[in-house]
C-alpha cells in the first residue's frame, strides 16, 4: 500500500474513493488507520471531501450540478487570492482544492458509478445541516471527519454544516457533550452553545447546555477561550481543571472543578453535587427516557448530593424517596412522585 503522505494521495487512490463513496466499511483501510495513527487527520480530511461530493451530487439535475461546480470554482478563486495576498503555505491547500475539483468533475460524469445511499445523519428542509443526536435514555460516541471525537450525553444534539474539516470546524451543541479535539493549526475548532462560543485547536473539554440549567464549559486538557455574546475583547481563557459557568441569570463565573466527578456521566454514573431538585428531575428524565410529575411538593428548596452507579431508575427513586420523603408510582414511561405531608 502506498505511503499516503498528503490528502491528494488518498483522493487519487481508486480503492479509497470506492469504499468512501459507496458508504461501506473497508477492513483494509480500518487496519491501515490503526497502523498509521499519525496520518489520521489527512485520512479523515480526504473522507470528508469525498463525502461532501457524494452529498452534493444527491440530486442529479443540471441546476444542482452547476451549483456544485460554481462552489468548487469559487473555492479555487479564493485560494488564488489568498496566495497573492500572503506568502504563507497555500500550495498544499490549492493542491487539495485542485484534487477536489478533479474528483468532483469525474464524479459528475459518472467516473465512480456509485449509487447514492441514505445517510444516517438528518438534514433540515430550510438549510443543509448534518445532525447527530443522542435521544433520552442513551449516550452516543461520534467520530468527526477531522478525527475529533464527541461523546453525547442523553437528550443531546450536535449539528454542523457541510464542509466540516475542509472549510470549517464549527459545531452547534444542544445538551451536553465531551469533545476530544484533533489538532489542526489552520482550522480552529469552535463549539456554539447558546450564547457561549468555545475556541480550541487540540484539547479536551466538556460543555453543558441544557435548558433551565447553568451552562458550563469545563476544560480537562489543552487550552480554550470562551466568548460570551459577540465581544471578542472579553474572551475568557481556561486552563485544565477550570470551568466557566453561565448562570441562569446571566452571571459568569470562572472557578476550579473536579473533573473526576464532573465527567462521571460518560461512565454511566449519576452524580449530583448540591443540585436543585428540579435539576435532578430533569436529569432523570433524560437518562431514563421518562416523564416525571411532582405532587404535593414542599415549599422549601430541595438540594441533592448523591451518586448512583449504573443503577435502575427504581433504585434511584427508592433512595431519593427515603432521603427526601416521597413515594412514587412508575407506569411505562411515566413517573409520579408524591411528597409526604411532613417531608422536610
Amino acid at each position: 500500500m502506498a505511503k499516503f503522505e498528503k490528502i491528494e494521495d488518498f483522493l487519487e487512490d481508486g480503492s479509497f474513493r470506492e469504499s468512501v463513496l459507496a458508504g461501506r466499511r473497508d477492513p483494509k483501510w480500518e487496519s491501515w488507520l490503526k497502523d498509521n495513527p499519525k496520518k489520521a487527520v489527512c485520512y479523515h480530511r480526504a473522507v470528508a471531501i469525498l463525502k461532501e461530493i457524494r452529498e452534493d451530487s444527491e440530486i442529479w439535475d443540471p441546476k444542482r450540478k452547476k451549483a456544485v461546480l460554481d462552489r468548487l470554482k469559487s473555492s479555487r478563486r479564493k485560494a488564488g487570492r489568498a496566495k497573492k495576498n500572503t506568502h504563507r503555505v497555500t500550495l498544499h491547500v490549492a493542491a487539495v482544492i485542485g484534487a477536489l475539483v478533479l474528483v468532483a468533475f469525474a464524479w459528475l460524469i459518472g467516473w465512480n458509478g456509485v449509487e447514492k445511499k441514505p445517510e444516517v445523519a438528518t438534514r433540515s428542509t430550510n438549510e443543509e445541516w448534518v445532525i447527530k443526536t443522542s435521544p433520552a435514555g442513551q449516550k452516543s460516541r461520534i467520530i468527526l471527519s477531522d478525527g475529533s471525537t464527541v461523546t453525547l450525553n442523553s437528550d443531546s444534539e450536535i449539528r454542523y454544516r457541510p464542509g466540516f474539516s475542509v472549510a470549517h470546524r464549527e459545531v452547534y451543541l444542544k445538551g451536553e457533550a465531551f469533545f476530544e479535539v484533533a489538532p489542526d493549526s489552520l482550522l480552529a475548532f469552535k463549539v456554539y452553545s447558546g450564547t457561549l462560543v468555545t475556541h480550541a485547536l487540540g484539547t479536551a473539554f466538556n460543555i453543558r447546555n441544557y435548558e433551565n440549567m447553568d451552562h458550563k464549559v469545563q476544560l480537562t486538557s489543552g487550552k480554550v477561550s470562551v466568548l460570551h455574546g459577540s465581544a471578542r475583547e472579553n474572551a475568557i481563557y481556561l486552563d485544565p481543571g477550570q470551568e466557566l459557568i453561565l448562570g441562569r441569570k446571566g452571571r459568569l463565573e470562572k472557578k476550579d472543578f473536579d473533573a473526576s466527578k464532573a465527567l462521571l456521566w460518560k461512565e454511566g454514573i449519576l452524580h449530583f453535587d448540591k443540585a436543585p431538585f428540579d435539576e435532578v428531575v430533569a436529569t432523570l428524565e433524560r437518562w431514563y427516557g421518562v416523564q416525571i410529575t411532582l405532587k404535593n411538593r414542599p415549599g422549601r428548596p430541595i438540594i441533592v448530593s448523591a451518586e448512583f452507579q449504573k443503577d435502575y431508575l427504581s433504585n434511584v427513586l427508592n433512595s431519593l424517596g427515603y432521603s427526601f420523603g416521597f413515594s412514587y408510582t412508575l407506569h411505562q414511561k411515566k413517573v409520579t412522585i408524591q411528597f409526604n405531608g411532613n417531608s422536610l
Side-chain angles (χ1 to χ4, degrees), residues 116-134:
K116 173 70 181 178
K117 295 189 177 182
E119 295 290 327
V120 175
T122 305
R123 293 185 175 276
S124 66
T125 55
N126 297 327
E127 184 179 5
E128 290 189 344
W129 290 89
V130 179
I131 302 175
K132 305 287 186 180
T133 61
S134 184

Side-chain angles (χ1 to χ4, degrees), residues 70-118:
D70 287 347
R71 183 159 58 84
L72 292 170
K73 291 175 183 177
S74 175
S75 296
R76 294 193 74 178
R77 286 195 295 270
K78 290 178 181 178
R81 287 196 295 268
K83 185 176 179 180
K84 290 179 182 179
N85 295 333
T86 69
H87 295 285
R88 299 180 66 182
V89 182
T90 57
L91 291 177
H92 176 71
V93 176
V96 173
I97 295 174
L100 172 56
V101 174
L102 182 62
V103 177
F105 271 104
W107 169 256
L108 290 172
I109 64 174
W111 179 19
N112 293 287
V114 178
E115 181 182 356
K116 173 70 181 178
K117 295 189 177 182

